[in-house]
């Protein structure tokens, strides 16, 4: 079963659907998640929410349309970045289809001090009850490759916190790692199966 981790201070509910990039720049990434139960059966009509930072490690912070921003820390998450405070990019939610799947059009996240590059997610059932809140990450090798070679990420260089010293993921982080595939056009496919009771 997928383990819970902290939601962190940068969550607020956002109703954006499939394209959570909202036209923002970064390495294009399709995030594909599949939701199954403890018997490995697909869970349909469950809501999957995701949120993550931009290529600079900054979270968006426009909560004006949010139904739940009670725990959002504007100063920490946006760093006072004005475009970020007026945006809600890299946040959204979708309902799982008949195969338990959701696909988000996004971009590879950036890093910020003290954390490995990661994506937050939350799952709730059709009644709105929370099933799991957790995070997913990328291999340190992929993060290094993108941060040191992709033109939209090289200005910040390699992340300062690889997975083994990240304080959120347990020592055995394999179950939190996204599987990835780099496509011939340079875009990235990232996918993972989430299992809940």
């Amino acid at each position: 079963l997928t383990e819970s981790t902290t939601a962190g201070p940068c969550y607020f509910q956002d109703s954006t659907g499939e394209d959570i990039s909202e036209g923002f720049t970064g390495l294009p990434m399709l995030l594909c998640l599949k939701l199954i139960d403890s018997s490995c059966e697909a869970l349909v009509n469950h809501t999957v929410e995701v949120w993550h930072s931009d290529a600079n490690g900054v979270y968006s912070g426009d909560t004006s349309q949010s139904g739940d921003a009670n725990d959002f820390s504007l100063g920490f998450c946006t760093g006072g970045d004005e475009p970020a405070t007026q945006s809600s990019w890299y946040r959204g939610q979708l309902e799982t289809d008949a195969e338990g799947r959701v696909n988000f059009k996004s971009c590879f996240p950036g890093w910020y001090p003290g954390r490995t590059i990661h994506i937050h997610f939350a799952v709730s059932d059709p009644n709105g009850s929370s099933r799991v809140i957790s995070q997913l990450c990328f291999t340190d090798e992929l993060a290094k490759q993108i941060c040191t070679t992709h033109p939209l990420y090289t200005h910040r260089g390699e992340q300062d916190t690889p997975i083994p010293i990240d304080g959120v993921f347990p020592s055995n982080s394999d179950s939190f790692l996204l599987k990835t595939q780099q496509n011939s056009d340079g875009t990235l496919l990232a996918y993972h199966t989430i299992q809940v009771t």
Side-chain angles (χ1 to χ4, degrees):
L1 297 176
T2 300
E3 293 181 59
S4 296
T5 63
T6 177
C10 298
Y11 169 78
F12 64 81
Q13 186 274 333
D14 186 89
S15 59
T16 301
E18 183 181 21
D19 188 354
I20 63 172
S21 71
E22 297 188 359
F24 209 68
T25 57
L27 170 61
M29 177 182 72
L30 185 63
L31 176 63
C32 303
L33 302 173
K34 181 173 182 176
L35 186 62
I36 59 174
D37 64 16
S38 56
S39 300
C40 298
E41 297 296 322
L43 289 170
V44 301
N45 299 325
H46 281 57
T47 299
V48 178
E49 293 184 80
V50 298
W51 64 101
H52 65 78
S53 66
D54 69 358
N56 293 312
V58 174
Y59 287 87
S60 59
D62 181 4
T63 62
S64 61
Q65 303 299 313
S66 177
D68 180 7
N70 297 330
D71 298 322
F72 182 66
S73 176
L74 180 67
F76 173 81
C77 299
T78 67
D81 182 78
E82 188 172 342
T85 62
Q86 299 172 3
S87 305
S88 59
W89 27 251
Y90 304 129
R91 302 177 181 274
Q93 61 183 21
L94 290 170
E95 284 191 2
T96 54
D97 63 15
E99 295 181 335
R101 297 178 184 274
V102 292
N103 298 321
F104 292 97
K105 295 177 181 177
S106 190
C107 294
F108 187 77
W111 61 272
Y112 54 91
R115 287 300 318 276
T116 196
I117 296 173
H118 60 281
I119 295 175
H120 297 264
F121 72 89
V123 174
S124 55
D125 65 21
N127 297 319
S129 299
S130 177
R131 302 296 290 275
V132 67
I133 298 171
S134 195
Q135 303 177 32
L136 299 169
C137 58
F138 301 85
T139 65
D140 289 330
E141 292 76 16
L142 179 67
K144 180 177 181 178
Q145 175 194 343
I146 292 172
C147 290
T148 59
T149 65
H150 193 284
L152 294 173
Y153 297 81
T154 54
H155 66 286
R156 302 190 66 236
E158 192 174 348
Q159 63 180 357
D160 71 353
T161 307
I163 296 171
I165 61 172
D166 184 271
V168 171
F169 296 110
S171 56
N172 182 9
S173 60
D174 290 352
S175 63
F176 298 93
L177 284 172
L178 283 153
K179 294 180 175 65
T180 58
Q181 174 182 317
Q182 292 192 285
N183 302 315
S184 58
D185 63 357
T187 61
L188 184 68
L189 171 66
Y191 55 99
H192 195 79
T193 298
I194 300 167
Q195 188 176 38
V196 299
T197 53

